[in-house]
Amino acid sequence: MNLLANLSLLAAFARRPRSRPTHLGYLNGFVYGYGMGASTILFPLYAISLEFDLSTQGFIVAAPGIAMILLRLIGGAVSDRFGEKIILWFSFATVTGASVVAANSAALLPLTVAQLFNGASRSVYWSAAQSYISRSAEGEAGKVMGRQLSFESGGGLLGGVAAGVVAQQYGYAEAFLMTAGATFVGFLITTSLPALPRKDQARSLAASLAPVKTMLFRRSLLHAHLVAFVSAAYIGLVMGLFVAFFRDAGYAEAGTALVIRLNSVGTSALAFFFGALLIRFGSRRTATLGITLTGALAVGVGLTGNVPVVPVVFMTITGMTFGGLRSLYPTLAAENSEPNQRAMALSVVGLYWAIGIFLSPLLFGFIAEATSLHAAIYIFGAFATAVGLLSQLLYDYGRRAPRPPRPSSP
């Protein structure tokens, strides 16, 4: 019965895609995930092939964080003022441009510029996409945002593996151009997204930006800020040190891409059922378990990097713990914000994500340069475990704060 119902739903979506904006959002997320999965594996692999040292590799991986920090709040303000579609167009255009620039360069400066384009895309995409998907099914934020992440992660898995194979078989220029072609498709899909009505829409950018100061330190959002920062720190480690770690362990480009993107298998599987998980465990325990297990599993990867199969299993399981964290922080932002300020709340929480993804590869790249890849991974594991245990205190503190009113109906 469920299979027939799903097939019927798929047929209805194919006939009239604009009548189902949530499903169009899932499709767009899959395409963006494909581009991000390919891009995030290609840049560190390309830097390694160009024989940059570990600190320079860390800088290249961290470079998108600069734009992500600078543009994050502007993206939320524009989304709340003019709608999410204009931001989604910008996101797909800049990530396409990043791949085109990288396909035609082999020097540090143009690669940094390309990564800044990637950062500009990622800085605004998530808040706009998450705002759109949550408003398309108001009151079901945990469910639809988890599934959106599932589609994004599925696309990331496919894109990362495809990029690694193409880079190994044909070259990096061809792999980057393949990525550019895929993300341009997302630009075209965005055109078909129907506009969603917004009650009490901001009348100016200044009005959209007005809540930023209070949101940055609002007690009810502090737990979301912490989850965003730690989950970003982990994925920054994956995009930087883990790529170098598996290459150092003897994996080829395609093998490294496959192992790294196995994170997406776990993320996609867990994110699809995140809504049920959140109901079962609650956000407090979900965060504690997610952060501490992510740290412990990262240490496990470091300990078993040269052992067959075992690190592959660890990467997949860590993808599941990361998927819980990655679904949790935007859900917390959505649940603690009003619909007319949704994109800005997601942008503010996402700012802490941007800071984490900037600092992590940069800091741990220098630590690895000074000590070793293994030591840097172990230090992150200890950090995440401690933060996970302490996160309960921050959650309890935030719960004592007043919450914004929830919408009375979808």
Side-chain angles (χ1 to χ4, degrees):
M1 182 65 70
N2 288 335
L3 178 60
L4 292 175
N6 288 333
L7 290 175
S8 176
L9 187 64
L10 182 62
F13 173 65
R15 288 194 302 269
R16 296 182 59 195
R18 285 177 58 84
S19 67
R20 300 183 180 274
T22 303
H23 295 83
L24 266 179
Y26 293 156
L27 178 61
N28 225 16
F30 180 86
V31 175
Y32 192 82
Y34 182 98
M36 278 293 102
S39 181
T40 53
I41 196 66
L42 282 175
F43 275 92
L45 282 176
Y46 194 31
I48 292 170
S49 73
L50 295 173
E51 299 184 349
F52 292 142
D53 58 39
L54 285 172
S55 57
T56 304
Q57 292 173 35
F59 175 76
I60 291 174
V61 173
I66 300 172
M68 290 171 72
I69 293 171
L70 295 176
L71 297 179
R72 177 76 64 168
L73 299 181
I74 298 298
V78 172
S79 289
D80 281 341
R81 174 63 184 91
F82 299 106
E84 295 92 350
K85 284 181 67 171
I86 189 171
I87 292 297
L88 294 174
W89 274 321
F90 173 83
S91 297
F92 280 105
T94 48
V95 76
T96 301
S99 295
V100 172
V101 170
N104 294 281
S105 59
L108 178 60
L109 180 58
L111 288 178
T112 301
V113 171
Q115 281 287 67
L116 290 174
F117 283 174
N118 267 331
S121 173
R122 287 151 59 182
S123 69
V124 297
Y125 168 81
W126 305 113
S127 57
Q130 290 163 353
S131 173
Y132 186 90
I133 206 79
S134 68
R135 293 199 307 112
S136 74
E138 197 68 66
E140 298 183 323
K143 175 183 174 181
V144 297
M145 294 171 96
R147 292 189 175 182
Q148 179 191 38
L149 177 60
S150 180
F151 277 93
E152 290 166 352
S153 299
L157 171 63
L158 182 61
V161 173
V165 171
V166 172
Q168 183 174 323
Q169 297 295 323
Y170 302 102
Y172 284 96
E174 289 78 4
F176 278 118
L177 289 175
M178 175 207 69
T179 305
T183 49
F184 184 71
V185 171
F187 182 90
L188 300 178
I189 294 174
T190 299
T191 305
S192 65
L193 291 176
L196 299 177
R198 188 192 301 267
K199 183 181 179 181
D200 299 326
Q201 184 169 358
R203 297 180 180 274
S204 66
L205 287 178
S208 295
L209 287 166
V212 168
K213 185 176 180 181
T214 56
M215 285 182 177
L216 281 170
F217 306 103
R218 181 185 290 172
R219 281 173 56 176
S220 61
L221 288 174
L222 290 179
H223 193 232
H225 296 337
L226 178 69
V227 174
F229 179 84
V230 178
S231 57
Y234 165 72
I235 205 63
L237 198 75
V238 170
M239 294 188 300
L241 286 193
F242 277 13
V243 174
F245 176 77
F246 285 111
R247 288 291 283 140
D248 187 62
Y251 289 72
E253 284 93 341
T256 301
L258 176 60
V259 175
I260 292 297
R261 295 321 306 181
L262 282 172
N263 249 263
S264 298
V265 175
T267 301
S268 182
L270 186 136
F272 194 83
F273 300 102
F274 175 74
L277 179 74
L278 189 61
I279 293 172
R280 173 68 179 82
F281 291 100
S283 57
R284 186 178 190 265
R285 281 190 290 173
T286 299
T288 300
L289 289 171
I291 297 172
T292 53
L293 288 176
T294 297
L297 289 165
V299 172
V301 173
L303 289 171
T304 62
N306 294 307
V307 179
V309 182
V310 178
V312 173
V313 175
F314 276 137
M315 288 297 290
T316 305
I317 299 174
T318 311
M320 296 180 70
T321 62
F322 168 74
L325 298 175
R326 179 63 180 75
S327 301
L328 178 60
Y329 83 78
T331 300
L332 292 172
E335 290 177 346
N336 288 279
S337 63
E338 299 176 46
N340 63 319
Q341 296 178 347
R342 182 67 45 76
M344 181 52 64
L346 288 162
S347 294
V348 170
V349 175
L351 183 63
Y352 287 83
W353 165 278
I355 294 170
I357 212 166
F358 172 69
L359 291 179
S360 174
L362 198 62
L363 176 61
F364 287 103
F366 280 112
I367 291 174
E369 190 76 36
T371 55
S372 68
L373 286 166
H374 286 82
I377 292 173
Y378 299 153
I379 290 171
F380 169 81
F383 161 76
T385 302
V387 171
L389 295 174
L390 293 172
S391 68
Q392 301 177 71
L393 300 177
L394 192 62
Y395 174 85
D396 292 338
Y397 176 74
R399 289 288 290 183
R400 293 194 293 270
R403 291 168 171 265
R406 295 181 64 83
S408 57
S409 62

